[in-house]
Amino acid sequence: MQQGRYDFLASSILKDVPEDLQLNLEGGVSLKGDRNNISASLDIGHITLSLFGQTFANDSRLQVRMDNRKVSIKTFTVKSGSTSFRIYGGMEIGKEYDIYLDGSSSLSLLKGLSKKIGYLKGDADFVFSVTGKWDKPNINGGMNLNNASLGLKGFQSYINSINGYMHIDEDRVVLEKLSGK
């Protein structure tokens, strides 16, 4: 894969594509197989992703391996200023998950997940895992919110100074502490 812009990959995931979206990649892809088996590997040495006024770069190589339905992701770290997170694990497509994500981040990145969010600022520390069966994955983890602000489109008021802790326990989202103005 030659160094270049691959914005279309990121825009296919986001519901509300930011105007400043830019994805630059450089690395290699290998694919081989026959009628019964397929294997692939992805080794990306350079990633730069810009969106919502932030630019992220990889701190380690992105290495993904696929053998038939089994996908494995070596520990991969992304950074931007004080934001840093890593993802690792794997899955067997159609059978099970074993994926982990942890780090700290600006909440503004989550703005692209919903068109209803007009304003989102603050910071979060988080640890999440997706494990278990494909048809009924277990999502577990927690997130600390620090000095967050949230505004929804169509509403003039914002909620400010949001601080708290939430955790996900399979099919429940539990707010243990939450405060705001």
Side-chain angles (χ1 to χ4, degrees):
M1 179 182 301
Q2 292 182 342
Q3 185 170 355
R5 288 186 63 171
Y6 293 87
D7 303 353
F8 66 93
L9 295 173
S11 63
S12 66
I13 297 169
L14 299 172
K15 292 182 181 183
D16 191 13
V17 179
E19 291 179 20
D20 64 343
L21 175 67
Q22 186 172 339
L23 175 62
N24 292 296
L25 300 171
E26 181 179 20
V29 177
S30 170
L31 192 64
K32 62 183 175 179
D34 58 31
R35 191 182 314 178
N36 299 314
N37 296 294
I38 187 169
S39 66
S41 63
L42 174 69
D43 185 359
I44 304 293
H46 170 80
I47 299 174
T48 304
L49 174 64
S50 297
L51 72 167
F52 301 116
Q54 294 192 7
T55 299
F56 296 89
N58 56 313
D59 194 42
S60 60
R61 298 183 80 78
L62 171 57
Q63 295 178 315
V64 180
R65 175 99 181 132
M66 181 175 170
D67 289 305
N68 293 319
R69 294 183 173 267
K70 291 185 180 182
V71 177
S72 62
I73 304 167
K74 287 191 176 180
T75 301
F76 171 65
T77 305
V78 176
K79 291 188 176 188
S80 173
S82 63
T83 296
S84 175
F85 60 90
R86 65 185 182 145
I87 186 168
Y88 57 94
M91 69 179 95
E92 187 169 353
I93 298 170
K95 189 172 181 182
E96 64 186 0
Y97 297 96
D98 190 27
I99 300 172
Y100 300 88
L101 174 70
D102 62 48
S104 58
S105 176
S106 166
L107 292 174
S108 62
L109 293 175
L110 301 177
K111 187 177 175 189
L113 297 178
S114 174
K115 292 182 179 184
K116 295 179 182 181
I117 299 174
Y119 180 80
L120 185 60
K121 297 286 183 190
D123 297 304
D125 298 311
F126 55 88
V127 175
F128 291 105
S129 66
V130 180
T131 59
K133 300 296 179 196
W134 187 266
D135 295 333
K136 193 170 189 230
N138 297 319
I139 301 172
N140 294 296
M143 177 185 294
N144 278 310
L145 297 174
N146 302 302
N147 199 27
S149 297
L150 170 68
L152 300 176
K153 290 182 180 175
F155 292 91
Q156 292 181 357
S157 299
Y158 290 7
I159 301 173
N160 294 306
S161 302
I162 302 169
N163 293 290
Y165 177 75
M166 63 163 260
H167 72 268
I168 298 174
D169 185 10
E170 294 183 17
D171 61 350
R172 298 180 315 143
V173 175
V174 179
L175 294 172
E176 288 194 14
K177 301 178 208 173
L178 186 63
S179 63
K181 294 180 184 178

